[in-house]
Amino acid sequence: VTDRDDRRCVVCDTTWSQWSSWSTCLNNQQSRSRVRQNQVTYDRCETVADHESRTCKVCRTSWSNWSAWSSCINGQQTRRRTREIQADYNHCTVHTDTDSRTCVNCNTVWSAWSGLSSCSNNKQTRSRHREVQQSYNQCRTEHDTDQRDCVICDQQWSDWSSWGGCINNQQKRSRTRRIQVSHNECRVVTDEDTRHCVACPGTWSAWTAWGCCSSSGVQQRSRERQIQDTYNSCRADSQHQTQRCQHCSDSDWTLWSSCSNGSRWRARRVSYGWDSNGNCLYFDSREEGCCENCTPTSWTQWGPCYP
C-alpha cells in the first residue's frame, strides 16, 4: 500500500541571464550585470546577481569652439571645430567640421621708404605704407613717417663781384653759390671770369712851371695823369692851379756917376716877368752919356731877348 504526500514546489531558473547593457562611463569605469535564480528551498528561489566592470573612456561628443580663421590663401580662409565619437567603450574617434569663407590677402610688409621731400623749415620727411587687415575681406592702409633735420642751400649764383685791379694785363671777377653736400651741409663753390685789361698809371706828373702872367695878373700851372676810361683804355686827367702874379715895376734911375774919360753912366732894374713861383724877374739896365760936349757912339748890338 502506498501512501503519497504532495506539496507545492518552485523550479528555479539557474541559468544566467543575458548581460545588461554597459552602464554610462563614470570615472573611467563602466559596469554591467546578469542574474540567475538559486534554489533556496523547494518552494523558494533567490535571485543572484553577477557584476562585471571595465575601464572606459568618455568621449566629448559636443562640438568644440571654432578655431581662429586661418591665413588667407588663394582668397580662402578656413576654420575648424571637432568632437569625439565613441568608437568602442575605451576608444574615441575625432570628427572634424570645416567652415570656409572668401577673404582678401593684405600686404602687411612695409613698403620701401619714399624719396626724401624737399627741405622745408629745416626738415625733410619720407614715408612708407603697408596694408593692415581691417576685416577678413577688407584691408586698411597704414602710413609711417620719418623725419630728419636739413639745410637749404642757395644754389643760385650770386651777382658778379666788381672787377678787380688790372694785374699783368688781367682783370678778374667772381661769383659764388652754395651746393648741397649732404642733407644738412652746404659747400661754397666759386666761379671766376677774366678779361684782358690795360693798367693806367694813375699817378700825377710833376707840376709844370708857372706860365706867364696874363694881362689880368694871373699865372697858371698844370699836371696830368692817365686814368681808367674803360677796362682796356686810359684817358688823360689834368689839374690846374692859378695864382696872382706880383706887381713888378722898374726901379728909378740911379744918379749919374762921376765923369771918367769924358763919359758917365747911370743904372736901374728893369722888370721882365715872373719866375715859377710868381716872383718878379729883373735885369739891370745901364745908360751911358757924355760928361760935356761929346759925340755919342754908335748903338751896340741888341742884347738878349728876355721874356
Side-chain angles (χ1 to χ4, degrees), residues 105-111 129-133 142:
N105 272 325
C106 300
N107 183 10
T108 58
V109 178
W110 285 108
S111 67
H129 64 273
R130 67 174 179 176
E131 291 179 334
V132 178
Q133 205 82 41
E142 182 180 22

Side-chain angles (χ1 to χ4, degrees), residues 4-146:
R4 292 182 61 179
D5 187 15
D6 294 328
R7 63 180 178 185
R8 187 177 181 79
C9 64
V10 175
V11 178
C12 298
D13 184 4
T14 59
T15 303
W16 288 105
S17 67
Q18 296 291 324
W19 287 103
S20 65
S21 298
W22 286 99
S23 67
T24 302
C25 189
L26 182 65
N27 297 325
N28 293 327
Q29 287 293 314
Q30 220 175 10
S31 65
R32 66 179 180 173
S33 63
R34 62 182 178 174
V35 295
R36 72 174 180 175
Q37 292 179 334
N38 284 340
Q39 200 81 41
V40 178
T41 61
Y42 66 92
D43 62 347
R44 186 167 64 90
C45 297
E46 180 185 36
T47 301
V48 178
D50 183 19
H51 298 277
E52 182 181 28
S53 64
R54 67 182 179 185
T55 302
C56 62
K57 183 176 181 181
V58 178
C59 298
R60 180 182 53 78
T61 59
S62 60
W63 287 108
S64 66
N65 293 328
W66 286 106
S67 66
W69 286 101
S70 68
S71 301
C72 190
I73 300 174
N74 297 325
Q76 289 291 314
Q77 247 180 336
T78 59
R79 65 178 179 174
R80 291 178 174 79
R81 63 180 180 174
T82 60
R83 70 174 180 173
E84 293 176 336
I85 297 175
Q86 205 81 43
D88 56 34
Y89 68 92
N90 65 347
H91 290 90
C92 302
T93 59
V94 177
H95 177 67
T96 302
D97 184 21
T98 303
D99 185 20
S100 64
R101 66 183 179 185
T102 302
C103 59
V104 175
N105 272 325
C106 300
N107 183 10
T108 58
V109 178
W110 285 108
S111 67
W113 285 106
S114 66
L116 285 160
S117 67
S118 300
C119 190
S120 177
N121 297 324
N122 294 326
K123 294 291 182 184
Q124 262 181 322
T125 57
R126 62 177 182 172
S127 62
R128 61 179 180 174
H129 64 273
R130 67 174 179 176
E131 291 179 334
V132 178
Q133 205 82 41
Q134 183 77 15
S135 64
Y136 69 92
N137 62 350
Q138 186 178 4
C139 301
R140 173 177 59 84
T141 302
E142 182 180 22
H143 297 276
D144 184 24
T145 303
D146 184 28

